């Protein structure tokens, strides 16, 4: 038994925000309350200023295993996750082979058990091989442990297939997570279409490439009463589409990444021109898009913050901009960016941040967590909102270092991460004995 | 000057004038019986071309030779690059042989910036993707100044494929820096969104762009643009945007007509315009050597010319 005393507990689901004690017994939360005394419990003093909250859940990561272990493995990816304050991640199926069958799902889950760090919830493919032709064996995927389906990396190829996916996955209460991109409009674009792409001579991707597909999917969610979750939203038009869908009662939710609320396409030209660590899909958009995302986070129309953690090997990024793969890592910088850019700038409250990073992902995926309820799994993130952080790519636990935040100075970070009652990460920069 | 010449974007007005003034001195060398000075003797210049180019590569090579540099041409077919070595590895291997300068032509925008980050050698951008072609803009400015005695206050119309053109970007940057009024004109499908925020007038009307122009600069339209549904046909392109004698008549009487080459006669420019009295297209080519000599000389430190 361990009794966590002190600190500020933030649990929006149970309406708690203040000084509460948490008693952990085995892998469960035994009690949450004031002045708990428990015979025989080890008392852990949480320094004032730290925040205890339900374990953070990143519902959009790429762990790259099986098949691309040179970029990341389940072990290194979950090490990065817990160092980033995440107690659980949902991993996308675009591995090699694609996670479109129980064999791959079970393999990922076995690797996760071996690593025994963050919980891993696999996301299965919508279509066999993610080829956009036949549906994958979705019931089998569900049975093996998948919590959602997605053809992430690309959109579900046709409106008909998306309709069928929404209908079919609905039987198993699985959302369809959609990478929205009208592919002919995207073409061979590599950057947001606008001033900076024009200046740098990069092929553009308009925001409408995203919003057109989001509108298709929202219409199909209405048609089928299916559940669609719009991944890594970047364009203001897409948020308008989501608001439109929600107003009509469509079962649509959406997420935004830290890089899309923290950066704009201006960074393609500076400080390092054509930095391939600024290349991701969807691309960094302009200031109006970024501001729209901030407003959506503030007003509640955005449901989730997810990282789209996309590790790539150094060699793959050390090439010409248009030849580099899309994607950046994000697990270990998300909390710092959220505090620095959202909480300290009073865009969102800590309670709202917990909803975005824990409560809502748990609800959308239908997985445990998202609240610190008595009897629930003891998945707890301990955050240090005022910790000065200097991001160091070299010190990241992820196998890949492809991130644009190297050297950034941010306020806020992670103190410790507890999964199933077990401390799986403690930040040595924080005075915490746990 | 800085270590590298990556684009006009990095040059100040003073640096641009310095190149143009230096080029005046360089041009005189071409008129000598022995067209060679020892300025870059002992310097090694590698012309690293990942795209086919006749004019630019030849122009650089002649410029290098007239300055007595040891030159080396490496033409890399893109296909063999795809099979094997990365640009970084190719560059590092060349770098290991200690050249002084690398002249790079590459299909990817930003390739010279990438090279400049990993190489100690000076890098000269000889055209990168859809981004910049700084020596072309400098030789164009040199040619314009020679004819008009100034650049500030001139109306310059640039007509053609604005989206894919590095010549447009470098010229727009340079000419606006020197105070010219730049009109960029082309089909709406070939205008990159955001271009209007770069200080140029964007128009889809050739007549408006050319009206009263001191300089008309034509850009090449490539055959493959038909596939991307940018324009329906070359025939229609010529009808709407082609530079004809009638359209040239809307410009100032002393207009000069420019083209960076290679030309598609009868597509973006009528032959009687290309070969007409106001055409300075071959002068551009001649001036290219002098301007590139100036750039090589200035980047090498500007010593030994006085």
């Amino acid at each position: 038994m361990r009794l966590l005393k002190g600190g500020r507990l933030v649990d929006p689901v149970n309406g708690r925000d203040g000084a509460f004690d948490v008693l952990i017994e085995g892998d469960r939360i035994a009690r949450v309350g004031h002045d708990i005394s428990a015979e025989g419990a080890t008392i852990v003093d949480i320094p004032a200023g730290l925040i205890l909250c339900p374990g953070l859940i990143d519902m959009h990561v790429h762990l790259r295993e099986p098949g691309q272990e040179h970029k990341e493995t389940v072990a290194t990816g979950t090490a990065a996750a817990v160092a980033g304050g995440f107690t659980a991640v949902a991993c996308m199926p675009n591995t090699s082979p694609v996670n479109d069958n129980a064999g791959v799902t079970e393999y990922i889950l076995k690797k996760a058990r071996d690593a025994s760090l963050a919980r891993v919830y696999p996301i299965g493919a919508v279509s066999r091989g993610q080829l956009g032709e036949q549906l994958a064996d979705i019931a089998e995927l569900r049975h093996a442990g998948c919590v959602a389906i997605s053809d992430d990396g690309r959109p579900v190829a046709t409106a008909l297939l998306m309709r069928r996916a929404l209908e079919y996955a609905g039987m198993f209460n699985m959302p369809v997570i959609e990478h929205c991109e009208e592919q002919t409009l995207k073409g061979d674009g590599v950057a947001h279409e606008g001033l900076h792409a024009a200046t740098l001579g990069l092929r553009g991707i308009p925001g409408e490439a995203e919003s057109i597909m989001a509108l298709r999917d929202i219409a199909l969610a209405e048609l089928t009463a299916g559940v669609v979750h719009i991944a890594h939203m970047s364009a203001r038009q897409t948020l308008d589409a989501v608001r439109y869908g929600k107003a009509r009662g469509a079962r649509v939710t959406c997420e935004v990444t830290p890089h899309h609320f923290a950066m704009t396409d201006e960074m393609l030209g500076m400080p390092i021109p054509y930095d391939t660590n600024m290349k991701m899909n969807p691309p960094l958009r302009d200031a109006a898009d970024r501001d729209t995302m901030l407003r959506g986070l503030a007003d509640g129309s955005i449901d989730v913050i997810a990282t789209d953690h996309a590790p790539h090997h150094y060699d793959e990024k050390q090439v010409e901009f248009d030849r580099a793969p899309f994607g950046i890592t994000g697990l270990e910088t998300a909390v710092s960016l959220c505090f620095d850019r959202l909480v300290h700038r009073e865009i969102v409250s800590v309670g709202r941040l917990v909803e975005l990073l824990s409560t809502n992902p748990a609800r959308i995926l239908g997985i445990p967590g998202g609240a610190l309820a008595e009897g629930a799994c003891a998945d707890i993130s301990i955050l240090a909102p005022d910790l000065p952080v200097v991001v160091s790519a070299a010190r990241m636990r992820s196998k890949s270092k492809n991130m644009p935040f190297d050297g950034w100075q941010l306020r806020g970070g992670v103190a410790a991460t507890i999964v199933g009652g077990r401390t799986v990460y403690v930040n040595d920069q924080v005075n915490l004995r746990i | 000057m800085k270590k590298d010449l990556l684009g006009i974007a990095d040059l100040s007005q003073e640096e641009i004038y310095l190149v143009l003034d230096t080029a005046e001195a360089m041009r005189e060398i071409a008129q000598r019986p022995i067209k060679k000075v020892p300025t870059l003797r002992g310097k090694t210049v590698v012309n690293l071309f990942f795209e086919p180019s006749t004019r630019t590569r030849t122009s650089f090579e002649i410029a290098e030779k007239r300055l007595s540099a040891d030159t080396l041409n490496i033409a890399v077919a893109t296909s063999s690059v795809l099979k094997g070595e990365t640009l970084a590895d190719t560059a590092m291997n060349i770098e290991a042989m200690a050249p002084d300068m690398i002249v790079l032509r590459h299909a990817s925008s930003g390739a010279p910036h990438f090279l400049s980050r990993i190489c100690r050698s000076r890098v000269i951008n000889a055209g990168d993707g859809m981004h910049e072609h700084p020596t072309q803009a400098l030789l164009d400015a040199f040619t314009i100044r020679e004819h008009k005695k100034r650049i500030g206050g001139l109306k310059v119309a640039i007509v053609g494929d604005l989206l894919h053109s590095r010549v447009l970007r470098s010229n727009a940057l340079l000419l606006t820096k020197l105070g010219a009024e730049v009109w960029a004109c082309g089909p709406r499908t070939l205008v990159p969104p955001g271009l209007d925020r770069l200080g140029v007038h964007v128009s889809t009307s050739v007549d408006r762009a050319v009206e009263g122009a001191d300089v008309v600069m034509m850009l090449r339209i490539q055959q493959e643009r038909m596939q991307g549904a940018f324009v329906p046909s070359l025939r229609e392109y010529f009808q709407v945007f082609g530079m004809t004698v009638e359209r040239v008549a809307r410009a100032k009487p002393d207009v000069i007509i420019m083209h960076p080459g290679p030309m598609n006669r009868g597509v973006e420019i009528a032959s009687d315009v290309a070969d007409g009295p106001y055409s300075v297209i071959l002068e551009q080519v001649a001036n290219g050597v002098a301007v590139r000599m100036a750039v090589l000389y200035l980047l090498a430190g500007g010593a030994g010319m006085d």
Side-chain angles (χ1 to χ4, degrees):
Chain A
M1 279 198 296
R2 285 199 293 176
L3 181 59
L4 311 186
K5 272 188 171 296
R8 169 185 171 194
L9 185 140
V10 180
D11 177 10
V13 171
N14 293 301
R16 292 191 176 115
D17 186 343
F20 290 86
D21 298 346
V22 180
L23 180 66
I24 300 172
E25 211 174 313
D27 64 349
R28 300 274 149 185
I29 295 171
R31 279 180 67 196
V32 179
H34 294 292
D35 303 320
I36 298 174
S37 58
E39 194 113 344
T42 313
I43 292 178
V44 178
D45 285 313
I46 308 291
L50 297 191
I51 291 170
L52 274 76
C53 66
L56 307 184
I57 300 166
D58 188 345
M59 67 178 286
H60 193 139
V61 305
H62 298 270
L63 295 181
R64 304 297 189 206
E65 198 174 2
Q68 296 177 308
E69 291 84 355
H70 64 294
K71 298 177 194 249
E72 192 82 283
T73 63
V74 174
T76 57
T78 52
V82 297
F86 293 99
T87 58
V89 296
C91 59
M92 285 295 171
N94 57 339
T95 46
S96 179
V98 167
N99 183 13
D100 63 358
N101 64 77
V104 177
T105 306
E106 283 160 10
Y107 179 84
I108 294 167
L109 289 172
K110 181 192 179 299
K111 292 286 175 183
R113 279 194 302 277
D114 291 349
S116 203
L117 292 164
R119 296 179 198 279
V120 174
Y121 295 101
I123 296 166
V126 169
S127 62
R128 211 169 286 258
Q130 291 193 307
L131 296 173
E133 291 158 8
Q134 283 174 272
L135 286 178
D137 288 339
I138 291 167
E140 176 189 300
L141 288 166
R142 176 53 139 175
H143 187 70
C146 287
V147 295
I149 54 170
S150 179
D151 271 354
D152 187 56
R154 61 186 83 162
V156 176
T158 65
L160 180 66
L161 188 70
M162 185 62 174
R163 175 193 181 160
R164 299 288 184 244
L166 286 163
E167 288 169 337
Y168 196 82
M171 295 193 296
F172 310 104
N173 297 315
M174 297 166 94
V176 181
I177 300 175
E178 176 73 324
H179 167 115
C180 290
E181 184 175 85
E182 206 293 312
Q183 291 197 290
T184 63
L185 206 49
K186 183 216 174 199
D188 49 8
V190 295
H192 173 61
E193 184 173 283
L195 175 65
H196 298 286
T199 307
L200 294 166
L202 296 174
R203 289 173 202 272
I205 307 171
E208 285 76 3
E210 184 178 271
S211 63
I212 285 173
M213 196 53 87
L215 284 164
R216 178 196 84 171
D217 295 331
I218 289 163
L220 292 170
E222 271 197 76
L223 172 68
T224 60
V227 179
V228 66
H229 176 77
I230 307 294
H232 47 51
M233 186 174 50
S234 65
R236 54 189 182 275
Q237 300 91 330
T238 309
L239 185 56
D240 286 342
V242 170
R243 286 178 175 139
Y244 157 87
K246 286 183 172 183
R248 290 174 58 89
R251 299 167 75 190
V252 56
T253 51
C254 64
E255 76 193 23
V256 68
T257 68
H259 48 274
H260 285 111
F261 70 64
M263 297 195 290
T264 65
D265 61 343
E266 191 183 5
M267 300 200 73
L268 294 169
M270 54 142 253
I272 304 170
Y274 303 96
D275 183 355
T276 55
N277 286 331
M278 294 288 173
K279 181 178 175 182
M280 68 289 286
N281 189 16
L284 295 177
R285 301 278 179 196
D286 65 21
D289 290 303
R290 193 262 326 267
D291 293 345
T292 303
M293 295 306 140
L294 292 174
R295 277 196 298 278
L297 287 163
D299 70 18
S301 42
I302 294 175
D303 301 280
V304 169
I305 294 170
T307 66
D308 193 10
H309 178 80
H312 290 294
H313 192 268
Y314 170 83
D315 287 342
E316 295 165 314
K317 282 286 196 180
Q318 185 69 353
V319 294
E320 300 89 318
F321 190 87
D322 53 5
R323 294 183 186 197
F326 292 100
I328 62 169
T329 59
L331 277 167
E332 292 166 86
T333 45
V335 164
S336 295
L337 289 163
C338 286
F339 273 111
D340 193 275
R341 297 304 161 97
L342 302 179
V343 175
H344 295 315
R345 296 187 186 184
E346 298 182 346
I347 308 279
V348 303
S349 65
V350 175
R352 170 89 179 112
L353 185 65
V354 171
E355 289 174 355
L356 288 160
L357 284 167
S358 178
T359 314
N360 293 347
R363 177 175 49 81
I364 291 163
L365 296 176
I367 59 176
L372 292 177
E374 291 175 2
C377 266
D379 289 3
I380 302 171
S381 299
I382 305 178
L383 310 177
D386 295 308
L387 183 72
V389 169
V390 181
V391 178
S392 162
R395 291 190 58 216
M396 293 293 150
R397 288 163 196 236
S398 169
K399 205 167 195 175
S400 293
K401 318 296 177 195
N402 54 307
M403 56 144 71
F405 310 113
D406 194 28
W408 282 36
Q409 297 183 22
L410 300 167
R411 182 173 150 216
V414 176
T417 309
I418 298 170
V419 176
R422 209 161 49 87
T423 304
V424 289
Y425 172 75
V426 184
N427 186 348
D428 57 20
Q429 307 291 306
V430 177
N431 180 27
L432 177 67
R433 297 174 65 87
I434 188 165
Chain B
M1 303 246 306
K2 299 188 178 66
K3 169 181 167 266
D4 309 304
L5 177 62
L6 302 179
I8 299 297
D10 306 326
L11 294 183
S12 66
Q13 209 184 58
E14 291 68 33
E15 286 169 319
I16 293 167
Y17 280 123
L18 177 63
V19 173
L20 301 185
D21 294 343
T22 309
E24 300 278 1
M26 294 295 174
R27 190 166 49 166
E28 178 266 328
I29 294 166
Q31 271 113 51
R32 296 182 191 174
I34 296 171
K35 303 183 183 64
K36 207 172 180 77
V37 292
T39 313
L40 294 188
R41 195 169 55 196
K43 302 275 185 197
T44 308
V45 183
V46 175
N47 300 316
L48 181 57
F49 276 61
F50 288 86
E51 268 190 338
S53 157
T54 311
R55 197 176 329 259
T56 304
R57 195 189 55 69
T58 311
S59 179
F60 266 107
E61 193 178 349
I62 291 177
E64 290 150 10
K65 292 200 151 104
R66 287 194 178 155
L67 292 171
S68 304
D70 296 315
T71 70
L72 179 71
N73 294 315
I74 304 177
V76 191
T78 315
S79 57
S80 71
V81 171
L82 287 177
K83 267 183 248 158
E85 209 168 41
T86 63
L87 173 59
D89 282 336
T90 304
M92 294 312 285
N93 275 278
I94 292 169
E95 177 89 350
M97 295 179 249
D100 297 281
M101 290 190 236
I102 298 175
V103 177
L104 179 72
R105 159 68 63 94
H106 199 287
S108 295
S109 299
H113 303 69
F114 174 59
L115 209 66
S116 133
R117 283 202 292 278
I118 59 176
C119 285
R120 270 174 294 112
S121 315
R122 294 171 184 280
V123 177
I124 298 176
N125 181 1
D128 64 322
M130 301 158 29
H131 179 229
E132 278 226 45
H133 193 352
T135 57
Q136 178 70 43
L138 287 163
L139 75 88
D140 289 340
F142 185 86
T143 308
I144 294 170
R145 190 172 74 159
E146 188 172 42
H147 281 268
K148 303 292 175 191
K149 308 301 171 208
R150 66 189 168 109
I151 287 171
L154 296 178
K155 177 176 179 180
V156 182
I158 306 177
V159 183
D161 177 351
L162 308 175
L163 177 61
H164 300 94
S165 178
R166 51 195 173 214
V167 175
L168 165 79
R169 281 171 181 77
S170 286
N171 263 299
L173 285 165
L174 189 153
L175 294 168
T176 53
K177 274 184 192 200
L178 299 192
E181 177 190 342
V182 178
W183 284 67
C185 173
R188 183 74 173 78
T189 48
L190 288 168
V191 178
L195 185 64
D196 52 330
R197 290 159 67 193
L198 295 180
V200 301
H201 302 266
V202 177
S203 174
T204 55
S205 158
V206 179
D207 287 347
R208 278 194 68 196
V210 170
E211 188 72 49
D214 299 282
V215 178
V216 172
M217 194 180 287
M218 302 307 296
L219 301 173
R220 175 181 165 76
I221 179 95
Q222 285 170 323
Q223 188 76 47
E224 57 260 33
R225 301 298 168 232
M226 310 312 119
Q227 272 84 55
F230 291 107
V231 287
S233 66
L234 294 180
R235 180 177 154 274
E236 177 154 310
Y237 182 84
F238 183 69
Q239 283 173 0
V240 184
F241 292 97
M243 197 51 58
T244 58
V245 172
E246 294 73 31
R247 286 189 172 130
V248 172
R250 305 182 78 93
K252 291 232 177 84
D254 63 345
V255 66
I256 57 171
I257 306 289
M258 307 178 78
H259 196 302
M263 273 189 288
N264 295 305
R265 289 167 181 270
V267 179
E268 70 261 0
I269 189 165
S271 277
D272 48 3
V273 174
D275 302 331
Y278 26 58
S279 167
V280 298
I281 294 168
L282 292 175
E283 284 175 46
Q284 288 173 270
V285 179
N287 292 337
V289 176
V291 165
R292 290 181 174 116
M293 286 169 77
V295 166
L296 290 159
Y297 162 74
L298 291 168
L299 279 187
M305 272 297 287
D306 305 312

